[in-house]
Amino acid sequence: MTDREFDTDAVFLDIPDVLNFRDASCGVLRPGVLYRSASLSGLSPEGARRLKPLGIRTVVDLRSPAEIAAAPDLFHGLDHDYLHAPLLPDRHDTEHPWPSDQFATYQLMAEIGGDAVAATVRRLAGDGAPVLVHCAVGKDRTGLTIAVIQHLAGLSDADITADYLRSNRGLGLDAGPVPYIDEHGVSHVSHPAEADRLHTALARIRELHGTIETYLTAHGVTPAELAAVRAALSTV
């Protein structure tokens, strides 16, 4: 089954008060190993009950410390490891402020987010799977992290892009931008995911490192861990 034939409804899971929750497996990837979502800051007890059968062993939180302080994940007794791996610094960090331009933000993620992506890969390679990866809304930081892992596991560029764009449906962005208030009380607009933004980040990674694999090894992932992730996710 190609991604263009893949049932979009099937990948979304109904977890109350958690937006954009879905299995990140499609195409040749094994389901039930890698999940993605918005933050768990609104997770309800019923949502925790529905999450439990998935057997998630590690939750990777890509948000900044300020975001987590403002809206920490809720677990309601779920038993899993929690890995804080900030992909970007605080929004108002003076050394690496978030650009207002989305394409520039994606380039910045590619340039400075390697440690967070590598930490997620190492959890998948070890005994941390199934893994849930999230940021604030599960679209940009999560989108890039998942795309790198999907590429590593052998998913085609077309299927990676199609999964990335599913966030528009998962967040209600398929009708256009949505306003939101950040952790500092500042009003922003969440823009729909666009394929060119993800492609910009992946192109920047390849420009800096040559390949996705060398990008990961440059941030501490071993060849054995790369092979372990492929084995965990691929069905071929």
Side-chain angles (χ1 to χ4, degrees):
M1 178 181 288
T2 67
D3 189 81
R4 283 162 292 284
E5 298 168 334
F6 194 74
D7 184 355
T8 299
D9 290 334
V11 300
F12 283 99
L13 301 174
D14 183 15
I15 307 298
D17 302 309
V18 180
L19 296 174
N20 205 17
F21 194 106
R22 61 192 197 265
D23 194 320
S25 300
C26 53
V28 298
L29 301 191
R30 180 176 290 114
V33 178
L34 180 63
Y35 297 95
R36 57 182 296 172
S37 72
S39 81
L40 304 184
S41 60
L43 182 69
S44 65
E46 172 61 17
R49 186 187 69 79
R50 295 192 196 181
L51 275 179
K52 188 172 182 178
L54 299 180
I56 292 169
R57 300 188 66 180
T58 305
V59 172
V60 179
D61 191 338
L62 301 173
R63 295 178 297 165
S64 71
E67 290 175 284
I68 293 172
D73 279 352
L74 301 177
F75 301 126
H76 300 292
L78 290 175
D79 184 18
H80 56 248
D81 292 336
Y82 175 80
L83 174 63
H84 180 212
L87 195 142
L88 286 174
D90 181 68
R91 188 182 303 272
H92 300 297
D93 181 90
T94 55
E95 182 178 0
H96 296 292
W98 293 21
S100 57
D101 176 75
Q102 287 289 301
F103 285 95
T105 298
Y106 270 74
Q107 285 194 331
L108 180 63
M109 289 195 297
E111 291 166 1
I112 70 172
D115 286 342
V117 178
T120 306
V121 169
R122 286 195 293 270
R123 281 302 173 107
L124 274 168
D127 60 359
V131 170
L132 167 63
V133 182
H134 78 75
C135 51
V137 299
K139 174 171 65 76
D140 301 314
R141 289 167 286 184
T142 298
L144 178 58
T145 302
I146 295 294
V148 167
I149 295 169
Q150 289 173 333
H151 166 85
L152 180 62
L155 205 62
S156 71
D157 289 346
D159 286 353
I160 290 169
T161 301
D163 182 58
Y164 166 76
L165 292 175
R166 287 190 180 97
S167 286
N168 289 331
R169 179 174 179 179
L171 297 166
L173 291 168
D174 42 359
V178 174
Y180 71 96
I181 305 297
D182 71 12
E183 66 279 8
H184 298 287
V186 178
S187 178
H188 298 274
V189 173
S190 183
H191 295 277
E194 294 182 4
D196 286 350
R197 293 177 190 156
L198 178 63
H199 297 165
T200 292
L202 295 175
R204 182 59 174 157
I205 286 173
R206 291 181 173 111
E207 178 185 353
L208 293 172
H209 297 279
T211 68
I212 298 295
E213 288 76 9
T214 54
Y215 162 72
L216 291 169
T217 56
H219 289 90
V221 179
T222 68
E225 288 171 331
L226 296 180
V229 169
R230 291 190 181 102
L233 284 168
S234 179
T235 59
V236 296

